[in-house]
Amino acid sequence: MTILVTGGAGFIGSNFIHEWLAHGDEPVINLDKLTYAGNLDNLRDIEDTPSYIFAHGDIADYSQVSAWLANFDVRAIVHFAAESHVDRSIDGPLSFVETNVVGTTHLLQAALEHWRKHHNFRFLHVSTDEVFGSLEPDDPAFVESSPYRPNSPYAASKAASDHLVRAYGETYGLPVLTTHCSNNYGPYHFPEKLIPLLIHNATTGKDLPLYGDGQQVRDWLYVADHCRALRMVLANGRPGETYNIGGNAERKNIDVARTVCAMLDDYLPLLDGRSYSDQIVLVRDRPGHDRRYAINASKLRTELGWKPLETFESGIAKTVQWYIEHREWTAAVTGGSYRDWVARQYT
Ligand code: NAD
Ligand code: TYD
């Protein structure tokens, strides 16, 4: 048997594949289109492993996906592939609808035909807490039954994909599982997202841009903890159920930036004695910027026994160290098209 991971060349997908291969020998196929966010360097160390297969392709390519599912006797799909950056979704929403909504529907249809022939099959849809919208400071954290109130085109496209996944479960009986995870951070995180952007900009002498007043709150989870939760949901989650995943680590963006700067001050002190935090600047806010996310993951804890192993401080320390030790990785992904994006976004 084999599992098929979509979007395995991206941030969380590549971490998941590393985790998967470290915990067993069941083969994994990585189906990835290699968009700007897909990077085979994330998997360089395992690319020759016999139980790892790379399939260059699009989740929307029904025939190709069907062939991979049949030829490799796939018993589960773990679906990460998506357009994932909120700011890019504001810049151009259509590719988010094409991949996250239309692409996911093609994938579901291929999965349905495959499941009808093979029965022993699961579809794990990796979604986000952003589908639930924004919380006020004193609101309780999102639970699985929180109403959908997506605010960005990214969140709306993920919400639409969640509904289609649910519909394939309810209408056709496809064994589907959906997870809603909070903000991840860790190795191989593309530096368009807040934490790797802060590390990259700090260490290259650039401004550390915080949107608006920098007081927005995210609930941060170290990526390996997310991947472990996904393995547990895939193994023992109940089909048709949804599971929240979160680190119980709410932090304001300004505090995240100060923590990253304090770690860099320790690991890589500036020669003139300044703190990296002097580079923090407040910039124009993101339109429709969600103020606060927070996840209640008690269902996952009680049903499947999951809890995060990293605190925010231990996870950030590992992350900052990883980026310091892998500057060539960041250098390789911050070339021409990345610079074009940064120029458009931050001027
Ligand atoms: P990412 O942007 O780093 O990676 C996305 C990957 O999908 C890339 O490798 C890209 O090449 C691939 N891809 C895009 N379109 C494709 C297509 N049509 N066919 C095949 N492959 C395609 O994303 P990420 O941050 O790793 O997020 C992975 C998943 O987890 C997404 O579904 C996202 O919504 C969800 N999620 C992310 C976070 C987070 O904090 N990053 C939190 C919760 C949930
Ligand atoms: P991001 O990493 O893009 O994740 P998401 O929008 O999916 O939560 O952003 C995390 C938070 O950081 C969010 O409140 C937006 C903010 N942010 C900045 O303040 N400056 C930046 O340059 C970026 C990319 C994000």
Side-chain angles (χ1 to χ4, degrees), residues 1 3 11-12 40 47 50 72 86 89 96 103 120 131-132 143 168 170 191 245 261 290 321 331 336 342:
M1 304 295 278
I3 67 159
F11 163 46
I12 306 175
L40 290 178
E47 67 185 358
F72 285 88
V86 172
S89 82
F96 286 70
N120 177 23
V131 298
F132 299 127
V143 288
Y168 269 71
E170 293 293 320
I245 310 172
C261 290
D290 285 339
Q321 268 162 357
V342 167

Side-chain angles (χ1 to χ4, degrees), residues 187-295:
Y188 305 115
H189 203 182
F190 192 69
E192 63 184 355
K193 308 277 173 68
L194 180 66
I195 288 177
L197 179 100
L198 291 172
I199 300 170
H200 171 60
N201 281 16
T203 52
T204 49
K206 301 190 184 75
D207 286 351
L208 309 183
L210 291 182
Y211 297 155
D213 60 6
Q215 300 293 314
Q216 301 82 9
V217 173
R218 297 293 182 264
D219 187 350
W220 294 96
L221 182 69
Y222 189 64
V223 64
D225 279 325
H226 184 189
C227 294
R228 196 165 38 81
L230 293 173
R231 278 193 290 115
M232 292 169 95
V233 172
L234 184 64
N236 296 314
R238 288 179 292 137
E241 291 292 320
T242 64
Y243 294 90
N244 280 0
I245 310 172
N248 202 16
E250 286 183 59
R251 295 289 186 281
K252 290 179 181 163
N253 292 340
I254 182 76
D255 294 330
V256 170
R258 287 187 182 131
T259 303
V260 167
C261 290
M263 301 234 162
L264 286 170
D265 287 340
D266 271 357
Y267 299 151
L268 211 61
L270 288 166
L271 294 177
D272 59 7
R274 274 188 315 109
S275 167
Y276 288 96
S277 57
D278 295 348
Q279 291 165 230
I280 296 175
V281 291
L282 297 180
V283 300
R284 187 186 55 171
D285 206 355
R286 171 189 279 175
H289 196 170
D290 285 339
R291 199 70 185 161
R292 174 179 166 235
Y293 303 142
I295 274 280

Side-chain angles (χ1 to χ4, degrees), residues 65-328:
V65 174
S66 301
W68 283 101
L69 292 175
N71 293 345
F72 285 88
D73 198 15
V74 169
R75 70 158 180 98
I77 291 177
V78 185
H79 178 34
F80 294 96
E83 290 295 335
S84 70
H85 188 33
V86 172
D87 293 319
R88 288 190 194 248
S89 82
I90 295 166
D91 196 46
L94 267 184
S95 60
F96 286 70
V97 175
E98 278 157 16
T99 288
N100 301 359
V101 187
V102 179
T104 296
T105 311
H106 284 292
L107 186 69
L108 281 164
Q109 190 59 32
L112 177 63
E113 300 303 334
H114 180 69
W115 167 69
R116 283 178 168 153
K117 289 181 210 123
H118 292 79
H119 295 291
N120 177 23
F121 178 79
R122 295 187 143 203
F123 187 102
L124 171 51
H125 177 56
V126 181
S127 191
T128 164
D129 58 357
E130 305 196 23
V131 298
F132 299 127
S134 185
L135 293 167
E136 295 297 325
D138 296 326
D139 285 346
F142 299 126
V143 288
E144 286 76 3
S145 57
S146 291
Y148 274 63
R149 289 203 182 97
N151 292 320
S152 69
Y154 162 66
S157 67
K158 290 297 288 188
S161 69
D162 291 3
H163 293 322
L164 283 154
V165 169
R166 177 186 159 83
Y168 269 71
E170 293 293 320
T171 305
Y172 308 113
L174 184 70
V176 293
L177 300 141
T178 296
T179 54
H180 295 119
C181 192
S182 59
N183 285 64
N184 284 215
Y185 63 97
Y188 305 115
H189 203 182
F190 192 69
E192 63 184 355
K193 308 277 173 68
L194 180 66
I195 288 177
L197 179 100
L198 291 172
I199 300 170
H200 171 60
N201 281 16
T203 52
T204 49
K206 301 190 184 75
D207 286 351
L208 309 183
L210 291 182
Y211 297 155
D213 60 6
Q215 300 293 314
Q216 301 82 9
V217 173
R218 297 293 182 264
D219 187 350
W220 294 96
L221 182 69
Y222 189 64
V223 64
D225 279 325
H226 184 189
C227 294
R228 196 165 38 81
L230 293 173
R231 278 193 290 115
M232 292 169 95
V233 172
L234 184 64
N236 296 314
R238 288 179 292 137
E241 291 292 320
T242 64
Y243 294 90
N244 280 0
I245 310 172
N248 202 16
E250 286 183 59
R251 295 289 186 281
K252 290 179 181 163
N253 292 340
I254 182 76
D255 294 330
V256 170
R258 287 187 182 131
T259 303
V260 167
C261 290
M263 301 234 162
L264 286 170
D265 287 340
D266 271 357
Y267 299 151
L268 211 61
L270 288 166
L271 294 177
D272 59 7
R274 274 188 315 109
S275 167
Y276 288 96
S277 57
D278 295 348
Q279 291 165 230
I280 296 175
V281 291
L282 297 180
V283 300
R284 187 186 55 171
D285 206 355
R286 171 189 279 175
H289 196 170
D290 285 339
R291 199 70 185 161
R292 174 179 166 235
Y293 303 142
I295 274 280
N296 178 336
S298 54
K299 177 175 172 182
L300 188 61
R301 194 170 53 242
T302 37
E303 269 193 31
L304 300 182
W306 175 87
K307 65 175 190 291
L309 298 179
E310 300 292 344
T311 63
F312 182 67
E313 285 65 31
S314 68
I316 279 286
K318 285 186 176 179
T319 304
V320 170
Q321 268 162 357
W322 188 89
Y323 278 90
I324 290 174
E325 286 162 13
H326 294 83
R327 290 195 208 197
E328 75 297 341

